[in-house]
Structures are given as C-alpha cells and as structure tokens.
C-alpha cells in the first residue's frame, strides 16, 4: 500500500498573511497599508490588522468566483449598510483601483439607500464625495 502526502489543512497562516498583504496593497495601495500597519504597530490594534489581512484579504478576497471589481462593489454596499464610513473611504479608492467608475460607486450608494435607508446613504455619499474631492485635488 502506498501513501501519498496530501495537505488537508489548506494554506498556512503565513501564506495567507503574504497573500493578504499582496492583495491588500494591490487594492488599497502601499501607502494605505503602510499607514494602517504603522498606526497599529505596538498596540492592541496590531493583532486585528493581521487577522483581517490573513482572513479577509488573504482568504476571502482571493477566493474564485468573483473578481476584484465585483468584490469592491459588494464591499461598498455592505459598508454603506454598516455605516462604516472610515472603511468606506479606503474602499472607494480601492474600487476605483479595481475598475469601478465614479458613476458606478455613486449608483451603488443610491441603490443602497433603498435597502439601508436615506440616512446611511447620505452619510456614505458624504464620504464618497470627500474621496472624490481629495482625488481631484491630487490630480
């Protein structure tokens, strides 16, 4: 009888961390990730940064079935629903990086208003507009 070595455990945490940092940097930018990790270094917040990088960016964002553009659109809608505007700002930039247009991002927020309510959408649109204005000022 021959036995073969099969890895039933999936990728290691180190592999997920590497994949996660790679994906996170491609979507959100090196500067964004460096700022996030720098602010967290040596604090209680540092652990969650690594967990999110491994689990969300390393695992979920790299699953087959949806492309990054679709994932960005879904993420924007979910962040509107959660009123997670600090996260939304980064994901608006990431969505643009992943091929979404400003009009599509705006329409996603408008669409979310029907399911999440006007207050959530108005708050989100304020954040989206601030990102657009900042980008216009950078160009």
């Amino acid at each position: 009888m021959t036995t073969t070595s099969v890895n039933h455990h999936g990728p290691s945490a180190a592999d997920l961390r590497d994949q996660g940092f790679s994906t996170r940097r491609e979507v959100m930018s090196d500067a964004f990730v460096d700022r996030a990790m720098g602010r967290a270094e040596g604090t209680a917040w540092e652990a969650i940064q690594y967990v999110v990088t491994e689990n969300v960016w390393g695992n979920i964002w790299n699953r087959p079935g949806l492309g990054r553009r679709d994932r960005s659109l879904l993420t924007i809608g979910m962040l509107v629903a959660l009123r997670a505007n600090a996260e939304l700002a980064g994901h608006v930039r990431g969505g643009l990086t992943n091929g979404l247009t400003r009009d599509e991002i705006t329409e996603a927020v408008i669409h979310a208003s029907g399911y999440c309510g006007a207050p959530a959408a108005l708050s989100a649109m304020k954040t989206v507009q601030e990102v657009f204005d900042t980008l216009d000022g950078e160009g």
Side-chain angles (χ1 to χ4, degrees):
M1 176 174 160
T2 49
T3 59
T4 57
S5 176
V6 177
N7 181 355
H8 295 285
H9 304 289
S12 71
D15 290 341
L16 288 173
R17 183 175 289 185
D18 290 345
Q19 286 177 308
F21 273 117
S22 178
T23 301
R24 192 175 180 190
R25 288 180 179 285
E26 289 170 13
V27 173
M28 304 299 280
S29 83
D30 287 334
F32 180 94
V33 174
D34 290 344
R35 278 192 309 274
M37 297 308 295
R39 282 190 307 264
E41 189 174 1
T43 71
W45 192 23
E46 187 173 25
I48 193 72
Q49 286 290 329
Y50 285 107
V51 168
V52 167
T53 298
E54 291 166 15
N55 293 319
V56 176
W57 292 103
N59 188 4
I60 295 170
W61 272 81
N62 286 298
R63 288 182 51 78
L66 289 175
R68 286 187 182 173
R69 185 180 186 288
D70 294 332
R71 290 184 190 282
S72 282
L73 192 60
L74 285 166
T75 301
I76 288 169
M78 288 182 279
L79 293 173
V80 171
L82 293 169
R83 294 189 184 191
N85 290 339
E87 289 293 314
L88 177 61
H91 280 280
V92 167
R93 286 177 177 259
L96 292 167
T97 297
N98 285 338
L100 294 176
T101 67
R102 289 179 180 209
D103 287 343
E104 289 170 323
I105 291 168
T106 300
E107 285 300 320
V109 174
I110 292 168
H111 186 77
S113 74
Y115 295 88
C116 305
L122 288 166
S123 180
M125 200 60 230
K126 180 179 184 285
T127 299
V128 169
Q129 189 61 56
E130 288 169 356
V131 171
F132 291 169
D133 291 348
T134 299
L135 291 172
D136 290 343
E138 292 174 0

